[in-house]
């Protein structure tokens, strides 16, 4: 493959959103809450939360706004009713705690292979996130975890959410490369299928623990150009 | 100043466009051409080349396209007439040489203080270019020179050229900061005045050799929050 740049899905592919959100939830909500169940409940609202933007029924807003909107329902699933009450307690979460919870998504740690793999890949290729997370979120994750991006691409740069084609198309356009020289890397076969439909090359990363093991993702993606189990394996496959 | 992020003009402020373009011109056009005069002639067409985009008379195109369009007139000023002739010679420049000349703007070296200054600043602040150069151009300059940007902002991200307000506004918007916590750094008082009009803080960098010493830029900008003579001095002023 004659690759000029690699673009990456981030949540689940580069960082472990489940452990990070659960860690912040335990810190902010206390030991009485099932933090992993809360993380799963919030994440379950991730794709649906973007649907009205994708359908053009509301203007684009960054993912932080959608996370804040879906927070009360996720809290309710673990027995916490309401946001914006007078104080913090089992019956409600104060506005400042809600704001901190939204920032949990900016404080996720990379999978252990991510930084060594990306560092090797960057020696020969331009690297960027192509996430539905906002620009500031991507910057915060990179500074926290040491992710060596050359630039930040993604949903907020174009004002659309994946899988809208404009997001995938923005990568070759802004990198001044033909789509066939841009490799999209993700742990989700749907994301890769949409990228392929726009002419990008694709690499699947198997992340068995993204959802805590259940559901278990497929070990490989037969539709992808490459399937690997870590970003270090991807670096090796590309000769880096 | 409570600064959260710094955004930088690039040509002249961070990199020495004149020496870099002259070096590439000497390499590609041979010793018979006054390479510094050619660099100055090309740069003189830089601001006018964006006017029709700014006026809405043509759609946004990246700076590489404008550089290619203004190349023949710049060549003519140093006695080379025409692009796209059969070969390379005193009477014309082949298409592939023209394309290489456009890439000269991707191959500019940082001023000596730029990388040490930026490295110190990045320890505490988010850093991004906010240039009229394209995204790929900014990435190429960063990879060549080791500029430690967190992300790439600028004209192509918003499809407008400075001094259109959308370019300045994009920095606080995408960085999720109030404009008063974004510091625009430039060697050009006009750029800083426009940034200030959008609520950004401003720092002027004195670059006496940007135009080879003639014209000489002012030593300070009384309208700016800070005036410095290097990015290392800026880092010291911000306590980095």
């Amino acid at each position: 493959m004659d690759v000029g740049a690699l673009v990456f899905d981030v949540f689940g592919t580069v960082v472990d959103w489940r452990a990070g959100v659960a860690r912040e939830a335990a810190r902010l909500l206390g030991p009485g809450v099932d933090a992993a169940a809360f993380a799963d409940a919030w994440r379950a609202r991730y794709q649906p939360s973007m649907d009205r933007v994708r359908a053009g029924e509301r203007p684009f807003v960054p993912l932080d706004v959608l996370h804040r909107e879906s927070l009360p329902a996720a809290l309710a699933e673990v027995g916490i009713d309401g946001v914006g009450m007078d104080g913090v307690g089992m019956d409600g979460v104060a506005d400042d705690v809600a704001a901190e919870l939204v920032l949990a998504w900016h404080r996720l740690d990379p999978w252990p292979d991510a930084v060594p793999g990306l560092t090797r890949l960057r020696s020969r290729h331009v690297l960027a996130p192509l996430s539905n997370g906002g620009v500031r979120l991507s910057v915060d994750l990179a500074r926290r975890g040491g992710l060596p991006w050359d630039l930040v691409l993604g949903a907020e740069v174009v004002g659309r959410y994946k899988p809208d084609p404009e997001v995938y198309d923005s990568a070759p356009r802004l990198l001044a490369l033909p789509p066939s020289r841009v490799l999209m890397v993700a742990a989700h076969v749907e994301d890769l299928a949409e990228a392929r439909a726009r002419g990008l090359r694709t690499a699947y990363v198997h992340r068995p623990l993204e959802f805590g093991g259940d559901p278990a993702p497929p070990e490989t993606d037969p539709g992808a150009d490459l399937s690997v189990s870590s970003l270090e394996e991807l670096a090796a496959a590309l000769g880096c």
Side-chain angles (χ1 to χ4, degrees), chain A:
Chain A
M1 265 193 291
D2 176 28
V3 172
L6 288 82
V7 296
F8 293 78
D9 175 65
V10 171
F11 297 128
T13 300
V14 177
V15 302
D16 179 359
W17 57 263
R18 190 171 189 262
V21 171
R23 180 198 65 232
E24 292 294 295
R27 179 173 74 82
L28 293 160
L29 300 173
V33 170
D34 184 338
F38 168 73
D40 289 339
W42 208 357
R43 182 66 174 180
R45 286 162 175 79
Y46 170 72
Q47 290 295 347
S49 75
M50 293 177 272
D51 284 344
R52 288 186 56 227
V53 175
R54 290 171 177 143
E57 293 169 13
R58 66 183 290 190
F60 181 87
V61 291
L63 187 62
D64 283 3
V65 175
L66 301 177
H67 275 147
R68 179 63 184 76
E69 291 174 1
S70 61
L71 175 60
L75 288 167
E77 283 201 34
V78 292
I80 300 175
D81 292 324
V83 172
M85 306 293 189
D86 286 341
V88 183
M90 286 308 290
D91 293 334
V93 165
D95 281 332
D96 61 338
V97 174
E100 279 288 299
L101 283 167
V102 168
L103 290 176
W105 295 91
H106 297 225
R107 296 169 181 158
L108 310 174
D109 293 322
W111 297 109
D113 56 280
V115 170
L118 292 173
T119 302
R120 287 168 59 184
L121 288 162
R122 194 177 181 225
S123 67
R124 291 177 48 182
H125 302 295
V126 171
L127 306 185
L130 191 75
S131 170
N132 278 336
V135 168
R136 182 57 192 238
L137 183 154
S138 294
V139 169
D140 286 345
L141 291 180
R143 288 180 68 96
R144 172 189 180 87
L147 306 173
W149 305 131
D150 288 288
L151 73 163
V152 171
L153 298 173
E156 195 181 4
V157 171
V158 287
R160 305 270 185 163
Y161 280 111
K162 291 190 291 182
D164 281 8
E166 290 84 353
V167 186
Y168 303 100
D169 293 349
S170 72
R173 174 173 60 83
L174 292 171
L175 295 169
L177 290 169
S180 63
R181 294 200 58 214
V182 176
L183 179 65
M184 172 90 207
V185 183
H188 312 115
V189 295
E190 308 81 3
D191 199 4
L192 296 179
E194 300 288 346
R196 251 186 329 271
R198 306 309 300 172
L200 278 62
R201 310 300 291 265
T202 54
Y204 175 76
V205 188
H206 182 222
R207 294 296 190 195
L209 297 179
E210 176 179 2
F211 296 93
D214 181 24
E219 290 192 17
T220 64
D221 177 359
D225 294 292
L226 284 169
S227 288
V228 296
S229 61
S230 74
L231 298 189
E232 292 183 274
E233 188 182 334
L234 180 62
L238 295 179
C240 296

